Amino acid sequence: MKKFALVSISLLATALSSFSQEELGLGDLVNNGLKAMNEGNWEEALALNGEATTRFGENPEAAMTIHGPQFGVIWFRKGVTELKLKKFEEAKKSFEACYKDFPNKPNANSKNPFNKIALLKWGEASMGLGQYKEAIDLWKKFLEERAKSDSYPQGPFHVNMAICYFKLGDIQQGVEHLEIAIKNKTQFQTPDAAIISGFQSLVEAAIIAKNEQVITDFISKSRGELIGPPFEMQRFSKVLMKLAADAIKAEMKVTALSLYQLVPSTQVVIDDLRTEISGMGGLNSINAGGARLNKAALEAELKRAEEEFRTGKANETVSLAATAYLLETMGNPYGAYAAYLQLENYYPNAERREDNLYHLFRTAAVIGKSEESLKYGQIIRNVFPDTKYLQDVQKLLLSQLFFDGEYDKAIEMSSEVLESGMVKQGTDDHDFASFVLAGSYFYTGQYDAAAPLLEEHIKEYPESKFTMQAQYFQASNTSRLQYWTRAASQLDAFLKKYEDAPDKTYIPLALFDRANAHYSEDQPDGALEKTDRLISEFPESVLIDQAYVLRGNVFESEGDLEAAEGSYNKALELAKGQGHNATAGEALYYLISLLSQEEPGDETSEEHKKAAGYSDDYWKNFADSSPYRAQIAVAQVNALNGVGRSEDALKYLQEVISILAKQPQAAGLEEAINSYTLAYLESHSPEELKDHYYSFPGINSRDKAARALLRIAIIGVFEGVAADAEAADRKRSARAMIQVLFQNLKTDFELKDLSNYILVKLGDYLRTTTSAPREAIPYYNEVLGRQNQSYRFGALLGRADVFGLSDSAADLDMAIKDFERIFNDSQDSKEREFALYRIIQILMKKGDFEKAAARANQYLDRDPEKSLGFSAHTAEVGLILADSFRERKMVDDAIQMYVKVWGANMGYIKVSAPAMKSWMELSFERNRKSTDPKIVSDRQGAYNGGWRYLDLTRTSKEKFTPEEVTLWQEVEKLVEKYVADPNVKSMKQIQAEKEANK
């Protein structure tokens, strides 16, 4: 309000001074009063404006006659100064006088520009007196009467309306106004302090009304707008913590937790302040986000924050402990552990450290972090040797083992605990021990042993806190690990068991997971049936819009594009109505992808028109907070090109690349760069692309990840030139450029500057698309040497794959070790499958044929009790198994296996041709004779099989790759060789004999 009032008053100074020439006393009072206001001298300004209204406006009618409506401006200024000095009753009278006594009249020479604005300020004065109903009525009157030219600060206006409604107990109306202020925060320039003030009033009103849902809904919906930069949020920490404490007293745990989560950590605040101060350079102040930042003030805040952090008196020493407690009571031990960990790592001087350490140790054990739990248990013993928690440390070891995945040890210990009577039946400890035993058998794949134990546990402990949650989360986790068959079984059992349970919390989630499992197992009818149930039985579920997205996926995979489009549109409609912007963005992504598939033609297609419309909707309404920016920028290219908007397509790609470049884990950045590369090369040369990418708009020297990917894209382009160029000098030039680019990549970027995501991406690129895969090793090693665990299995897989290409025995052993780690510990089914496949290959390469066969059988095992559910490399693994038989001189087994391989993979020349060739060679060498006219001898059979193979696959020969042609021709040569044997009849002879017999 300060900015509005002073600016408006200064604009009127000239107008009011026009009558001061006749009445100098009034003019001096007006101008001096205005000067005092602009300088913030409110007491002086009030005295001057008060004297002006007393001496020259005591009789309103006379003042109106002499000075006209313009005299109301002096009353307005007087009211403003009274507001500033919190003289609300006097301010009401001043604004009332401005409004009632000095209205504007048609065709009058003078005007009172504040006549209607006075209603707004009058309402503020009423609000200051706690007269909330009156304030609302005055503001409504203002909105009805104000002229379009009457500008006012809309953000604070709606916040004030919200506060008044909250004070009156009308939470719904208050939320509507507060959301208006928040949603239009940038446009209205709503101050953060005003938003927090409105939010405070909402929480206070909700606590009084015991309405926790309205707070959680509001925070969930508006979290992004509520949370500002950490250094700004720090100023509101005390308010938020008080509100959280009030919520705890009111037993509103979710509210308290949500409020504590809004309090930024002191370390983050310190880092943010340092960044802000550093960014100011030599300037003392700058404008940022509509606010004026003062370096001296920021430095003072930094000093205070650093002192609080150093002495352990930071806000979060209280908020983190309270948050941890709340999270655990709400069933979130992971969050509690994280909070206690922050307390220990950042605030070792905090009060009650002994308690915090014990809870850190305990929650670490509960979530399976054995090493961390043991570490903090030892710290407790060292720092607090007489701790009251010493005995509890031993009891939690079982929890450590189970939640850390040490299931064999957990089985051993839980069996011992249960059999020894260390825990009494019917207690929580016995409940947990029996659950661990059953769960450990499940996790180790011993389903027969687990089944009765799970049944016994559920029967003995029907009220156990683990029963429903464990069953759903295990099933859901299995589906997320993409073990679809196992997940389907678990989810079906869960749905059947709990379909009539009063608590339906997990049923819609399980239905959605089951639908996903159906879809992933190529069971479209099942996926549609489960989503139908979800939609019809749980119409209020937050997953409805996502269910329609999944239905669209199913229809699209089945080729029913019209139905898919309809489902995506329904998902979009629901998501918009529910404010689910993420799902709305996802639905738009699928719509754009669906309608943009065809290449642009001479005429604009209706699909491209619609896709372009969806694209505009996305960028206008959902792009700001959507994770699909990069995907849509890529997907929309065909459509925008098709409607003549190629420049827009490039613009969006460029913008996305520039934005993603600022994000540490920018998923989709590589795809966006690749699409941009293709589009740019339509009208530019590779050399121009190189120059463009070295100075890409919006990407600066700090955006190291994006710059590295841009360099990789350039390398890819020149590798394409080197591969496709016909001229020898062009090939040499491209290869030289590639070498230079790689050298620059290594020189310009230190590995430590790149995120784990980018390091793995770069490593994978070097490994899979260049002729020097070993160049990737340092990138993978950098990831594996860090404390940050993200993308660890991706780095292990890449490193192992490179080592597996080596001829060194040491490298091959290292490859197997890494692959075994992935196979045993990764939660990604595809990673585990690839790891086992490469283990089998490397064992063959090492000559360990027996182990290779054992692992191949493990891969191929389809026994429901043992199957891993792997299938992507079935053909290749089958060929390796056959080769292992051959190497071990198990001729009959090898022959049978080769037949299975080429018989099931006839069109897969890369596998079927080597299998056919080996089968022919072994059969010919075995040379088993047959006296049964219905059974051919080995050598004749080898020829016959090879001839038929060539005959069946010959028609596809034009589509073979050069490698496939070579493999096929090897079979062809063998057929020609065997038919020359005098004991082998040619196919021509065989056919002639058949004709003769007829």
Side-chain angles (χ1 to χ4, degrees):
M1 296 303 294
K2 178 180 178 182
K3 179 180 177 182
F4 163 77
L6 294 182
V7 171
S8 301
I9 290 169
S10 64
L11 292 173
L12 290 167
T14 303
L16 278 173
S17 64
S18 63
F19 53 74
S20 67
Q21 294 178 4
E22 299 177 6
E23 297 185 33
L24 295 175
L26 177 59
D28 289 340
L29 290 172
V30 168
N31 289 327
N32 291 340
L34 177 61
K35 182 174 181 293
M37 291 178 73
N38 285 328
E39 293 174 353
N41 298 324
W42 301 109
E43 291 284 2
E44 180 185 349
L46 176 57
L48 291 165
N49 287 317
E51 184 176 353
T53 55
T54 301
R55 287 174 51 195
F56 300 99
E58 185 174 7
N59 186 330
E61 292 182 3
M64 182 70 171
T65 302
I66 296 170
H67 306 297
Q70 192 167 244
F71 193 84
V73 174
I74 303 175
W75 282 103
F76 183 84
R77 292 178 179 174
K78 180 173 177 287
V80 169
T81 59
E82 288 162 341
L83 269 184
K84 291 291 184 181
L85 297 170
K86 300 189 182 304
K87 298 177 182 292
F88 300 120
E89 196 66 59
E90 294 88 337
K92 283 180 61 176
K93 295 176 182 178
S94 296
F95 292 127
E96 182 179 10
C98 176
Y99 172 72
K100 290 184 176 180
D101 297 338
F102 298 96
N104 291 312
K105 295 184 177 181
N107 304 319
N109 291 329
S110 67
K111 298 287 185 184
N112 177 2
F114 294 120
N115 180 244
K116 303 302 182 185
I117 298 292
L119 287 168
L120 185 70
K121 307 299 286 182
W122 187 356
E124 291 180 21
S126 297
M127 180 182 176
L129 290 168
Q131 298 166 356
Y132 305 116
K133 177 65 168 59
E134 180 179 273
I136 291 172
D137 291 341
L138 286 166
W139 290 331
K140 288 182 177 179
K141 187 176 180 65
F142 164 72
L143 292 178
E144 292 172 358
E145 296 184 5
R146 78 179 185 90
K148 292 184 178 179
S149 59
D150 288 338
S151 62
Y152 65 101
Q154 296 182 62
F157 171 81
H158 284 289
V159 170
N160 286 343
M161 283 285 266
I163 291 173
C164 287
Y165 275 119
F166 292 143
K167 295 295 185 182
L168 293 171
D170 191 341
I171 295 178
Q172 181 177 356
Q173 289 281 352
V175 167
E176 289 180 5
H177 282 281
L178 187 54
E179 286 184 343
I180 290 173
I182 289 177
K183 288 179 180 177
N184 299 279
K185 178 180 177 181
T186 302
Q187 179 184 349
F188 290 170
Q189 295 186 346
T190 311
D192 289 332
I195 290 175
I196 294 298
S197 178
F199 178 64
Q200 178 181 359
S201 293
L202 165 61
V203 175
E204 290 170 347
I207 288 176
I208 292 173
K210 295 288 186 180
N211 187 345
E212 187 163 47
Q213 190 63 47
V214 72
I215 302 176
T216 55
D217 288 347
F218 184 85
I219 292 176
S220 175
K221 189 175 183 180
S222 305
R223 178 179 293 275
E225 291 80 5
L226 281 174
I227 298 178
F231 80 93
E232 292 183 359
M233 291 299 296
Q234 172 72 0
R235 300 167 188 169
F236 310 122
S237 294
K238 301 294 186 186
V239 171
L240 294 169
M241 290 177 65
K242 180 185 181 302
L243 291 173
D246 292 342
I248 292 176
K249 291 178 183 177
E251 297 185 356
M252 297 170 68
K253 296 179 181 179
V254 175
T255 295
L257 179 60
S258 299
L259 291 168
Y260 279 128
Q261 288 173 344
L262 296 176
V263 178
S265 78
T266 303
Q267 183 60 59
V268 171
V269 171
I270 290 171
D271 292 341
D272 198 32
L273 284 167
R274 287 173 178 168
T275 300
E276 292 293 335
I277 293 169
S278 175
M280 295 176 72
L283 300 176
N284 293 323
S285 61
I286 61 170
N287 287 322
R292 189 75 177 171
L293 298 183
N294 181 278
K295 179 182 281 189
L298 293 179
E299 288 173 341
E301 287 187 38
L302 175 61
K303 184 177 180 181
R304 182 170 57 254
E306 289 175 334
E307 176 65 15
E308 289 180 350
F309 184 83
R310 184 180 63 80
T311 59
K313 296 180 180 178
N315 291 328
E316 54 267 37
T317 59
V318 175
S319 66
L320 281 171
T323 296
Y325 163 75
L326 288 168
L327 286 169
E328 192 161 12
T329 60
M330 295 164 64
N332 183 1
Y334 291 91
Y337 165 78
Y340 288 125
L341 182 61
Q342 286 190 60
L343 276 170
E344 174 60 19
N345 287 343
Y346 297 116
Y347 310 101
N349 297 327
E351 296 180 2
R352 302 185 65 181
R353 186 189 180 204
E354 179 183 352
D355 295 331
N356 294 336
L357 269 172
Y358 168 69
H359 292 308
L360 175 59
F361 159 73
R362 180 179 54 77
T363 52
V366 170
I367 66 174
K369 291 183 173 291
S370 297
E371 293 183 8
E372 288 84 350
S373 184
L374 291 170
K375 168 187 171 182
Y376 295 116
Q378 187 61 45
I379 292 175
I380 292 173
R381 289 191 290 269
N382 293 339
V383 179
F384 304 101
D386 299 325
T387 179
K388 58 188 175 182
Y389 299 116
L390 188 58
Q391 292 181 351
D392 293 337
V393 171
Q394 302 302 327
K395 293 181 181 179
L396 290 172
L397 181 57
L398 178 59
S399 176
Q400 293 175 320
L401 295 172
F402 179 72
F403 285 103
D404 200 41
E406 299 286 348
Y407 301 118
D408 289 331
K409 294 180 181 178
I411 290 172
E412 181 180 349
M413 174 166 280
S414 58
S415 298
E416 179 183 344
V417 166
L418 292 168
E419 293 170 4
S420 67
M422 292 173 62
V423 293
K424 295 182 179 180
Q425 196 162 358
T427 64
D428 288 343
D429 288 340
H430 190 277
D431 172 4
F432 182 63
S434 61
F435 169 75
V436 167
L437 181 60
S440 296
Y441 275 125
F442 171 80
Y443 277 125
T444 54
Q446 301 177 68
Y447 302 119
D448 289 338
L453 292 172
L454 286 169
E455 183 178 356
E456 180 182 350
H457 176 269
I458 294 168
K459 181 180 179 180
E460 186 171 357
Y461 298 103
E463 304 301 322
S464 170
K465 63 182 179 180
F466 304 114
T467 304
M468 179 182 286
Q469 292 88 337
Q471 289 187 14
Y472 168 69
F473 287 126
Q474 286 179 357
S476 180
N477 187 58
T478 303
S479 72
R480 282 160 175 73
L481 294 174
Q482 300 182 22
Y483 296 120
W484 300 115
T485 302
R486 192 184 310 168
S489 175
Q490 293 175 13
L491 288 164
D492 286 340
F494 179 87
L495 288 166
K496 182 178 180 180
K497 180 173 182 179
Y498 292 107
E499 60 184 354
D500 296 325
D503 183 2
K504 302 292 185 183
T505 303
Y506 296 102
I507 299 298
L509 302 177
L511 285 170
F512 185 75
D513 286 339
R514 187 63 182 96
N516 262 318
H518 279 304
Y519 174 60
S520 300
E521 289 192 302
D522 196 21
Q523 298 169 358
D525 292 340
L528 294 176
E529 184 266 332
K530 291 300 185 296
T531 52
D532 280 341
R533 278 194 59 191
L534 172 57
I535 293 166
S536 61
E537 296 177 23
F538 301 94
E540 301 303 319
S541 171
V542 295
L543 294 172
I544 297 296
D545 50 357
Q546 295 181 47
Y548 276 105
V549 170
L550 179 56
R551 288 175 68 83
N553 294 156
V554 174
F555 288 133
E556 187 173 357
S557 68
E558 291 294 290
D560 191 345
L561 303 187
E562 183 177 352
E565 184 179 353
S567 290
Y568 294 143
N569 268 312
K570 183 64 176 178
L572 178 61
E573 175 190 345
L574 290 170
K576 285 183 175 180
Q578 296 170 355
H580 295 172
N581 287 354
T583 307
E586 183 181 8
L588 284 168
Y589 164 62
Y590 284 121
L591 282 166
I592 294 166
S593 299
L594 178 70
L595 298 168
S596 301
Q597 293 178 4
E598 63 177 288
E599 294 293 329
D602 295 333
E603 297 183 3
T604 303
S605 71
E606 290 301 317
E607 286 76 9
H608 283 176
K609 288 180 182 178
K610 287 194 288 185
Y614 289 129
S615 171
D616 291 336
D617 185 13
Y618 174 82
W619 294 110
K620 179 181 179 181
N621 299 309
F622 302 102
D624 288 345
S625 58
S626 171
Y628 290 93
R629 295 176 67 95
Q631 292 94 321
I632 288 181
V634 172
Q636 69 185 7
V637 171
N638 279 350
L640 293 184
N641 287 343
V643 297
R645 294 171 56 185
S646 300
E647 290 301 316
D648 285 346
L650 271 177
K651 179 194 74 172
Y652 283 123
L653 282 168
Q654 183 172 304
E655 288 178 357
V656 163
I657 292 169
S658 299
I659 292 171
L660 292 179
K662 315 297 181 185
Q663 301 175 9
Q665 304 295 345
L669 178 58
E670 182 179 9
E671 291 79 3
I673 289 175
N674 290 342
S675 292
Y676 186 89
T677 301
L678 293 174
Y680 190 85
L681 288 173
E682 290 289 329
S683 55
H684 298 82
S685 69
E687 287 76 15
E688 289 173 322
L689 176 76
K690 172 181 171 294
D691 294 338
H692 179 50
Y693 275 8
Y694 266 73
S695 57
F696 197 90
I699 294 181
N700 56 43
S701 60
R702 290 175 294 181
D703 303 326
K704 298 182 181 297
R707 290 172 56 226
L709 281 176
L710 289 169
R711 301 289 179 86
I712 288 294
I714 302 169
I715 291 172
V717 169
F718 278 96
E719 285 194 329
V721 173
D724 299 337
E726 296 182 359
D729 57 344
R730 181 61 169 153
K731 284 182 178 289
R732 284 194 299 272
S733 174
R735 289 170 182 158
M737 177 63 74
I738 292 169
Q739 185 175 359
V740 170
L741 290 169
F742 267 124
Q743 190 59 45
N744 288 345
L745 190 64
K746 295 177 183 178
T747 303
D748 294 350
F749 299 96
E750 294 186 39
L751 298 184
K752 66 180 180 62
D753 294 329
L754 301 176
S755 69
N756 287 2
Y757 166 76
I758 296 299
L759 287 166
V760 172
K761 283 290 185 183
L762 291 174
D764 288 348
Y765 183 90
L766 295 168
R767 172 173 62 91
T768 61
T769 63
T770 72
S771 57
R774 209 168 182 92
E775 295 280 350
I777 293 294
Y779 294 90
Y780 296 133
N781 282 341
E782 176 68 21
V783 175
L784 296 171
R786 293 179 174 180
Q787 293 296 319
N788 184 347
Q789 298 292 307
S790 63
Y791 296 93
R792 178 165 295 268
F793 286 110
L796 280 169
L797 186 146
R799 184 174 73 176
D801 195 40
V802 173
F803 282 139
L805 300 174
S806 171
D807 292 325
S808 162
D811 284 351
L812 295 179
D813 288 341
M814 177 66 78
I816 290 178
K817 180 181 178 182
D818 284 349
F819 278 133
E820 290 285 10
R821 168 78 193 283
I822 295 165
F823 177 73
N824 290 327
D825 298 332
S826 174
Q827 294 186 336
D828 187 300
S829 178
K830 292 181 180 178
E831 287 180 348
R832 295 184 69 240
E833 180 171 7
F834 182 76
L836 181 56
Y837 170 55
R838 291 290 282 122
I839 288 170
I840 297 166
Q841 286 185 318
I842 295 168
L843 288 171
M844 283 294 290
K845 190 174 186 178
K846 286 169 58 69
D848 200 339
F849 306 123
E850 188 169 348
K851 284 187 179 179
R855 301 309 292 271
N857 280 319
Q858 181 185 15
Y859 184 102
L860 297 170
D861 196 337
R862 296 298 180 256
D863 185 332
E865 295 294 327
K866 300 177 182 178
S867 175
L868 297 170
F870 296 163
S871 61
H873 306 288
T874 298
E876 291 88 345
V877 173
L879 180 60
I880 292 173
L881 180 58
D883 288 341
S884 76
F885 287 138
R886 184 174 185 178
E887 294 290 348
R888 289 177 290 161
K889 311 301 181 185
M890 300 168 66
V891 176
D892 291 347
D893 290 326
I895 288 175
Q896 291 178 15
M897 193 64 203
Y898 282 129
V899 171
K900 289 182 181 180
V901 173
W902 61 254
N905 304 280
M906 190 73 71
Y908 189 9
I909 304 300
K910 187 177 178 180
V911 169
S912 64
M916 174 58 72
K917 180 174 179 290
S918 295
W919 172 76
M920 291 173 65
E921 290 171 340
L922 286 180
S923 296
F924 202 87
E925 291 170 5
R926 187 175 64 175
N927 194 22
R928 184 177 293 168
K929 304 290 197 273
S930 173
T931 57
D932 186 342
K934 295 180 180 180
I935 300 177
V936 297
S937 299
D938 277 349
R939 292 194 170 183
Q940 185 66 52
Y943 164 76
N944 291 354
W947 188 92
R948 291 192 185 94
Y949 174 78
L950 296 174
D951 187 55
L952 290 170
T953 57
R954 194 183 307 277
T955 55
S956 303
K957 189 176 178 182
E958 293 181 357
K959 300 178 182 178
F960 291 174
T961 66
E963 179 188 4
E964 290 172 335
V965 170
T966 299
L967 294 171
W968 191 88
Q969 288 175 343
E970 289 179 1
V971 176
E972 185 178 41
K973 291 176 182 176
L974 208 56
V975 169
E976 293 172 354
K977 175 183 177 182
Y978 288 171
V979 78
D981 187 290
N983 296 315
V984 174
K985 297 178 182 179
S986 69
M987 192 55 63
K988 185 175 181 181
Q989 289 176 294
I990 293 171
Q991 291 170 350
E993 288 179 0
K994 285 183 179 180
E995 288 297 324
N997 290 335
K998 287 182 182 179

